[in-house]
Amino acid sequence: MGTVSALADPLKKVVGGSTATVMAEQLGLHTVGDLLHHYPRRYAERGELTRLADLPLDEHVTVVARVADARLLKFNRGRGQRLEVTLTDGSGRLQLVFFGRGAFAHEKQLLPGRRGMFAGKVSVFNRKLQLAHPEYKLLDEDDGREAVERFAGELLPLYPACRQLNSWKIEQAVGTVLDSLEAIEWAGLVDPLPSTLRDSRGLLPLPEALTAVHRPRTKADIHAARARLKWDEAFVLQVALARRRLADEQLPATPRTARPDGLLAAFDARLPFTLTEGQQRVSREIHDDLARSHPMHRLLQGEVGSGKTMVALRAMLTVVDAGGQAAMLAPTEVLAQQHHRSIVEMMGDLAEGGMLGGSELGTKVVLLTGSMGSAARRRALLDLATGEAGVVIGTHALIEDKVRFHDLGLVVVDEQHRFGVEQRDALRSKGSRPPHLLVMTATPIPRTVAMTVFGDLETSVLDQLPAGRAPIATHVVPAADKPHFLSRAWERVREEALAGHQAYVVCPRIGDEEPAADGGKSRKTAEPEEVADGDGTGPEGPEGEERRPPLAVVDVAAQLGGLLSGLRVAVLHGRMPPDDKDDVMRRFAAGELDVLVATTVIEVGVNVPNATVMVIMDADRFGVSQLHQLRGRVGRGSAAGLCLLVTEAPEASGARARLDAVAATLDGFELSRIDLEQRREGDVLGQAQSGVRSSLRMLTVIEDEDVITEARREATAVVAADPTLESWPGLRTALDALLDAEREEYLDKG
């Protein structure tokens, strides 16, 4: 191993070609440094020292005993062999068993009369207690109790592994790497943490931390190593984000302020209601940002129905007032059409600038989606290029090369987690100067997650619901235990419809495809929003039994034809032709349909105030935040909302616990914490985290709030004092490792 680049050395130099290939392909480990940062998931203890007379079943134990006899037996017509060893300690007897080629080698060691320590999990075979393939260490006659206790108390690292490479082989490889680094005294290892920071917080030096996490002598070693390695991750990530914030502040942007007698003033004067205090506060933050000469980067998060679209629209009108254009990027056509419809309705004749009957203060509001006819598309493109359209709402179609803006001043991204960073960047690059950016999400993000993932964005939170919004009651419907509860759910749907209201029925799958082996994610499913986020349990239930495929829209709609006969039922999903989707949504919004059976395509943005009840089938197949999003589609008017979570999950299961949590609170921030604790960051953060995903190996953004908050403060100070990190070569090296070319690009584009 070379000294300067010891951690950058490819693994095949240390562990051999075939092992290195498996590590790269199955575990994403390519270098010595990658392997050292592949931390143990947990640590096993060999177990309490136990007399043979007191052995507990199914527990890990360590025993000290003598070999009474050992027999090598053949089976499978002589092709297989097993070694059976009987131990005794005067209080009882225990059998050891070893299979395969290694059995002969163990027979040579385990001679009758030898005393040793044996560790493994106690099981029963042929009514005898046994340990299969135990670890053991033979003792000399003068080895005392101290040696025995040291062996029994040793902590054994258990690594995230794969079928081709088990944990103990990974442990062997890590041991080889540690030995070679210790032999060269860790030469070439640079420490990313400034020594002042390390000393002030009592953190271990990096070589000690890496040794202790892989070869701990005590639980205190593990604790100290983890504390140090968490700081590495948090600090390096926060330095990357602090540098991004600083770079953004250097970019030039065109300041945009509203005219006192302009479009925004005319819009505000017509509003039939007063903005909530929260909407007024957040609007002020956004308008202050828009008036600055560097680009706004703001995350607007708010509860479902808190009025984010109104705040975003007022920001867009400010930019149009100042002579610029504003673009809103929506993740699906249904949502883009919905936004377009509601914005045109809110603006009235102010959305008909240059048209007969339009206000002279107005502008054009155009829609641009991939499925538009060519004539309508040409018109929209022309309106954007000439500047006649001040506001455009669209899908990914906005990003295409042929789309040209006259003067793009603001980009609003709805539902950030649905877009890759490159897509956001492609739209921002369409301005002659960097446009201002407002990112909206209805999935509330705990403060530390926002700081870890969107650390380059200022955050505004809308946590008030507009006056007149009705509360939503949520109940779990245990269909397997109490089928009459499900019958009652359909009665409630009928009652609401007869009272003049409407209902959603949501299913995890579309259903006109073959169910796939992964528990429902069809290979034909066309759009990413068409499959429930799921609970990560895959095709098997909690006891390992096969789960049935998730319920599908087309099947449930067919059943409801009988259960809800006389009601007007329609289906909506992402594989329908766009005109058909739009027609169904229009008819539902107009009250011409009673029940809409849909996939998660209705999860965000769909606004039908008359819809009061939602039945979510197979609710345990959805994530907590997704259920909260879906529930927000009802209770949007003055009548109370009802959400019924139908599940076959057993009462004591984790899936039921998640559903009970959703039923117990309407606080999206509380639910997002629960979601994150249960599903871990990778699932929840999605694409937003993709630029830095591999950095979160030790850090958990909910448990480690204090570390993240402190690291952000320290990182901001370091970057302010030395933006190029000239004085911190170790930190620069760590940043290069975190931000290889691809990730650097992600962060730059963010």
Side-chain angles (χ1 to χ4, degrees), residues 16 73 363 519-520 528 673 685:
L73 307 169
T363 187
R673 285 183 77 91
L685 304 182

Side-chain angles (χ1 to χ4, degrees), residues 299-303 415-417 439-455 457-462 625 628-629 667-676 681 684-686 688-689 701-702 705:
L299 174 69
L300 171 57
Q301 50 174 334
E303 281 291 8
E415 285 313 309
Q416 156 65 21
H417 63 284
V439 170
M440 297 199 298
T441 179
T443 308
I445 304 169
R447 188 179 68 89
T448 41
V449 183
M451 270 172 28
T452 307
V453 184
F454 299 111
L457 300 177
E458 296 300 321
T459 304
S460 294
V461 178
L462 274 175
S625 294
H628 181 60
Q629 282 267 26
D667 181 344
F669 285 90
E670 178 56 30
L671 287 174
S672 68
R673 285 183 77 91
I674 293 167
D675 202 11
L676 201 53
E681 291 79 2
V684 179
L685 304 182
Q689 179 67 12
V701 293
I702 289 293
E705 282 192 58

Side-chain angles (χ1 to χ4, degrees), residues 402-435:
K402 59 184 79 157
V403 180
R404 295 276 179 270
F405 288 87
H406 177 66
D407 179 14
L408 181 60
L410 171 66
V411 174
V412 178
V413 179
D414 192 19
E415 285 313 309
Q416 156 65 21
H417 63 284
R418 303 293 188 99
F419 286 103
V421 183
E422 298 103 321
Q423 294 162 324
R424 248 166 58 190
D425 180 60
L427 187 52
R428 281 174 58 194
S429 68
K430 291 182 179 295
S432 51
R433 301 180 94 179

Side-chain angles (χ1 to χ4, degrees), residues 57-228:
L57 200 57
D58 284 337
E59 284 188 23
H60 287 275
V61 298
T62 297
V63 299
V64 176
R66 279 190 196 280
V67 176
D69 66 64
R71 290 166 300 150
L72 194 60
L73 307 169
K74 301 283 185 188
F75 62 93
N76 197 8
R77 295 187 183 155
R79 286 199 295 273
Q81 57 182 9
R82 76 174 179 273
L83 175 68
E84 290 182 358
V85 179
T86 305
L87 301 181
T88 177
D89 71 347
S91 74
R93 295 171 83 78
L94 172 68
Q95 185 168 288
L96 312 180
V97 62
F98 299 88
F99 291 94
R101 287 184 224 144
F104 180 70
H106 293 300
E107 186 191 23
K108 294 271 182 228
Q109 299 259 347
L110 298 171
L111 302 170
R114 285 302 309 262
R115 179 170 162 265
M117 302 176 284
F118 303 86
K121 189 175 181 181
V122 183
S123 59
V124 172
F125 182 73
N126 278 348
R127 289 184 292 192
K128 289 183 187 168
L129 292 179
Q130 74 166 24
L131 302 181
H133 287 275
E135 291 182 76
Y136 62 88
K137 187 171 185 182
L138 295 174
L139 295 167
D140 295 324
E141 286 308 316
D142 55 354
D143 276 334
R145 186 167 179 83
E146 195 179 306
V148 172
E149 285 180 345
R150 197 164 55 242
F151 174 83
E154 193 177 342
L155 294 159
L156 307 170
L158 298 174
Y159 289 87
C162 59
R163 193 165 47 80
Q164 300 91 326
L165 200 67
N166 61 29
S167 175
W168 71 266
K169 282 190 178 158
I170 295 171
E171 185 189 352
Q172 278 183 325
V174 170
T176 305
V177 163
L178 286 173
D179 290 344
S180 33
L181 283 168
E182 280 163 10
I184 57 168
E185 298 183 343
W186 296 84
L189 179 74
V190 286
D191 196 322
L193 292 193
S195 55
T196 49
L197 192 157
R198 258 196 342 260
D199 296 345
S200 67
R201 294 178 188 281
L203 298 171
L204 292 179
L206 189 53
E208 282 179 36
L210 288 170
T211 303
V213 82
H214 293 293
R215 290 175 166 170
R217 294 182 307 280
T218 64
K219 288 183 178 171
D221 283 353
I222 298 170
H223 181 74
R226 288 176 64 84
R228 160 65 213 245

Side-chain angles (χ1 to χ4, degrees), residues 554-630:
V554 291
D555 303 334
V556 170
Q559 290 169 12
L560 291 183
L563 288 167
L564 299 176
S565 57
L567 299 187
R568 298 163 297 175
V569 179
V571 302
L572 179 72
H573 58 73
R575 286 218 307 279
M576 290 164 60
D579 289 349
D580 293 0
K581 278 194 285 194
D582 204 30
D583 183 55
V584 169
M585 269 316 307
R586 187 193 54 71
R587 286 165 56 213
F588 189 67
E592 295 166 19
L593 297 170
D594 301 308
V595 180
L596 189 61
V597 187
T599 55
T600 55
V601 75
I602 58 123
E603 180 184 351
V604 284
V606 175
N607 184 29
V608 180
N610 192 45
T612 54
V613 61
M614 173 174 285
V615 182
I616 303 178
M617 308 302 293
D618 276 347
D620 51 288
R621 310 268 183 148
F622 296 83
V624 169
S625 294
Q626 200 174 25
L627 291 169
H628 181 60
Q629 282 267 26
L630 287 164

